[in-house]
Amino acid sequence: MKPKIELLSREELELIHTQTLHLLQTKGVKYDSKIALNYLEDAGQEVDYDSLTAKISPDLVEKCLESAPKLGEVTLYGRDDRHEIIFDGGRTYYNNEYGGRDVLDFEDYETHKYRDPTIDDVKRSVTLADALDIVHIIWPGCFPTDCPPVLLDLYNQQICFTNSSKHLQDQARDLRLVPYKLEILDAVLGDRRKMKEKPAVSLIFDTVSPLRWEKDMIEATIEMTKNWVPSFVHSRPQPGVTSPVTPAGTLLQGNAEVLSGIVLLQLVQPGIPVAHSVTGTCVDMRSGIAVGGQPLERLLQSAGVELAHFYNLPAWAWNTSYLVQPEYASGLGNYNTDLTLFLERYIIDAERFAMVDRIHEGFKVNEESLMRLDIERVAYDGTFLKEMSTRNHWTEEYFVTTLGEEGLYDLEGGMTEGSCSSKEMLQAAHERVEHILATHQVNPPLSSDVIKEMETIIKRAQKELVG
Amino acid sequence: MAKSEVTKQNILGEMTQAVVDGDQQRAAALAKQTSMYKLSPLEAIEEGFVKGLNIVGQKYQSGEFYLPELITSSEAMKKALETLEPQMKKEGAKRDELGKVVIGAVEGDIHDIGYTIVATMLYVAGFEVIDVGRDAPVRTFIQTAQKENADIIAASALMTTTMAYMPELIKQLTELGIRDKFKVMVGGAPTSQRLCDKIGADGYGANAREAVAVAKELISGTE
């Protein structure tokens, strides 16, 4: 038995798809970039350079969906080949959270404080993520404030490569940084062209809802795509704010956004691996701020995964879900709606996500696992604790917690501040963080020559871009 | 009460209700009928439409109304003003405002939903709001604030990378010798009270409601 819940029927998926094609053809999408529009015009699409919009024909959408590698054909790597990530629909891979605008320093339950993130915090987050087996894709955990803001992505790239050998993912937000980013790839991989066979980095390509792509991100992502850097095309609208309030309407708009991104990237580099991701963030309709945990959000995340699978593409979802199984899920370490880097949360979520994996494994139903003879033997007054079958197999069936007593877990977790469960669990997580940071060594380490080369590249970028 | 007075009261009541209901079409139609009922534009605004906005504000405060009601009602109000404000200007009349706020998203940031909600709530609270739009350079904020003689400059950023323009705003105001002329507010997902204190801004709102409270506080401090 493998848990399988179908939210959308084939007919409903077909309807969303048909309406998406209609929306792309009649309304089109705004690409804030003439470079992007050139690609669409060259592909015979109706482009308006004044309004920066393009109407995309169903034929082109189908053609680009055809050229994107499908489930089972997409494999990502780390800078070390051991870290293979095979998107074949069989399992979920996780990353560590990104986006901390501040850091929560935890000393003990009573003593903790918020402060600005530093380069050292990025290093700590990456080291921790590198050490956690459940993390396969590395994100720099926060935005350091002790480096020039324009160079932030370069610093993060350098720190990630230095402190982890796993697959690295970030965003291309600034065209000026692309040459340096590619030089860093040359330094680390030996040659950026290796990306085509074994992509060691990938990008998040974020839309701006409704139906818009932002200039800097488009143009930087196009350049990276030319160099075979795969993209996870992502729409994260807010129902009722940046998309229709209904989940169906949000899925339709999100799908149109994602497909318009996939079309562009396939035009730039036919065959570039992409992932499809329609998620969604709910807002507090009193204050307007983003909030996690809404049932609507969970439904959207899950339906978004089904939409990706409808196209036979790898799915990326925000936060993990027991409803459906994406190939890739974020949210590990998510705290304060991903605004705060809280390392202890990494540890807690590593267990929480492993529990979700356990649910997805399901269980066997056969003559042996039904254990009818055991029941007959033990009933009416015995206990199964005396049975060797229990002794031999209980750890396959139970999830063995390592962070305190069973029952302390809140599997749903909370993404908002103050939602971490218990004092004991936090303390245990804190001790684990301290231990890992004190002992973990990245394997294999980067050579000192490569580290030096990256430093030289960043120094040059600083001189050329900051002065 | 004379029949014409009853009709006048009825029409003002309808104006109030159109805003409460967020009925843009009705609000626009009623605004166009002002002179037919011998109402001045200012009377229609103050005695009719604004009363609706006040009710909406109260219902929001009491928890009965949420953002969707608030925003659609303010859109209905704006529809009425589109007709009435030009007439009012011709007559030289002026609405009472709490203060004037120049608001927008900083350079590089094309996310406008968040600050638009803040702008609407400031407007509902009684501020005059001048929107410089998204991706607005620092000089646009400053020039607009100077031209409009604003009380507050409110800058929003949704990305950590664009947040860097916030200290630049303070820096340029200081260099121009006009830092004391304006109160500066910052907001948006990556911002915080810590950032506000660090860059020397005057106020920070963690959400739209807080932003309005902070703006009111800043204005009362300037009086």
Side-chain angles (χ1 to χ4, degrees), chain A residues 109 335 342 344-345 348 414 416-422 425-426:
Chain A
Y109 197 70
Y335 189 64
F342 181 21
E344 283 70 16
R345 181 83 199 199
I348 292 167
T416 47
E417 197 172 344
S419 62
C420 264
S421 305
S422 78
M425 192 197 292
L426 273 169

Side-chain angles (χ1 to χ4, degrees), chain A residues 36-324:
Chain A
L37 290 171
N38 286 341
Y39 279 102
L40 288 144
E41 191 177 34
D42 290 347
Q45 304 305 293
E46 189 185 328
V47 166
D48 181 340
Y49 284 95
D50 292 328
S51 63
L52 298 173
T53 53
K55 291 178 177 168
I56 306 170
S57 70
D59 283 351
L60 184 67
V61 176
E62 300 289 2
K63 190 180 143 199
C64 290
L65 280 170
E66 195 55 43
S67 71
K70 303 295 177 300
L71 275 174
E73 299 168 356
V74 179
T75 303
L76 305 178
Y77 296 82
R79 66 171 170 79
D80 181 54
D81 282 355
R82 282 177 306 139
H83 300 300
E84 241 185 8
I85 297 163
I86 304 166
F87 288 146
D88 60 2
R91 62 171 289 186
T92 303
Y93 295 89
Y94 300 105
N95 69 345
N96 60 307
E97 193 51 61
Y98 187 16
R101 62 151 193 211
D102 51 24
V103 176
L104 180 57
D105 271 339
F106 179 93
E107 283 176 35
D108 55 52
Y109 197 70
E110 280 77 29
T111 320
H112 48 270
K113 64 172 192 297
Y114 289 88
R115 60 172 173 77
D116 289 338
T118 62
I119 285 173
D120 195 49
D121 291 314
V122 184
K123 187 179 162 189
R124 283 151 47 90
S125 69
V126 172
T127 302
L128 189 55
D130 189 64
L132 293 172
D133 289 339
I134 200 162
V135 176
H136 287 83
I137 296 179
I138 299 288
W139 283 8
C142 55
F143 296 102
T145 53
D146 53 348
C147 69
V150 68
L151 302 179
L152 192 140
D153 285 349
L154 292 184
Y155 275 96
N156 278 351
Q157 194 182 7
Q158 176 200 28
I159 297 165
C160 288
F161 275 136
T162 310
N163 295 285
S164 174
S165 54
K166 294 177 180 175
H167 184 83
L168 159 63
Q169 191 167 68
D170 66 353
Q171 287 187 312
R173 289 178 278 229
D174 189 338
L175 188 58
R176 293 172 299 171
L177 294 185
V178 170
Y180 306 105
K181 280 177 156 260
L182 293 171
E183 280 184 49
I184 289 178
L185 283 184
D186 283 335
V188 173
L189 305 177
D191 187 339
R192 70 184 72 172
R193 284 174 297 185
K194 286 186 183 164
M195 283 292 297
K196 187 176 177 185
E197 298 307 319
K198 292 188 172 179
V201 300
S202 58
L203 300 170
I204 304 299
F205 189 31
D206 267 329
T207 178
V208 181
S209 300
L211 296 176
R212 185 172 178 180
W213 293 93
E214 182 250 343
K215 181 182 169 70
D216 286 342
M217 187 168 287
I218 297 178
E219 296 186 351
T221 304
I222 285 176
E223 285 307 307
M224 297 295 277
T225 303
K226 285 181 191 169
N227 287 280
W228 287 99
V229 180
S231 275
F232 288 61
V233 187
H234 182 218
S235 164
R236 195 181 182 185
Q238 297 173 324
V241 181
T242 60
S243 67
V245 74
T246 59
T250 295
L251 282 172
L252 167 61
Q253 183 191 301
N255 194 40
E257 290 169 352
V258 169
L259 293 193
S260 69
I262 290 175
V263 164
L264 176 64
L265 299 181
Q266 292 301 321
L267 289 175
V268 173
Q269 188 66 273
I272 187 84
V274 289
H276 181 297
S277 177
V278 178
T279 62
T281 304
C282 291
V283 297
D284 171 11
M285 281 295 189
R286 294 284 301 154
S287 66
I289 60 165
V291 287
Q294 274 272 341
L296 170 59
E297 189 177 303
R298 293 299 165 102
L299 284 169
L300 272 173
Q301 305 273 3
S302 303
V305 172
E306 290 188 348
L307 207 45
H309 290 168
F310 172 73
Y311 296 114
N312 206 12
L313 292 171
W316 173 38
W318 265 85
N319 217 323
T320 182
S321 162
Y322 355 97
L323 295 181
V324 289

Side-chain angles (χ1 to χ4, degrees), chain B residues 29-40:
Chain B
L30 287 164
K32 284 182 184 129
Q33 293 168 14
T34 306
S35 58
M36 199 197 305
Y37 295 98
K38 300 196 173 18
L39 284 164
S40 74

Side-chain angles (χ1 to χ4, degrees), chain A residues 16-33:
Chain A
I16 293 170
H17 175 61
T18 312
Q19 295 267 327
T20 303
L21 294 179
H22 187 72
L23 192 57
L24 289 171
Q25 188 172 31
T26 52
K27 177 69 183 173
V29 175
K30 183 167 185 175
Y31 297 93
D32 286 352
S33 157

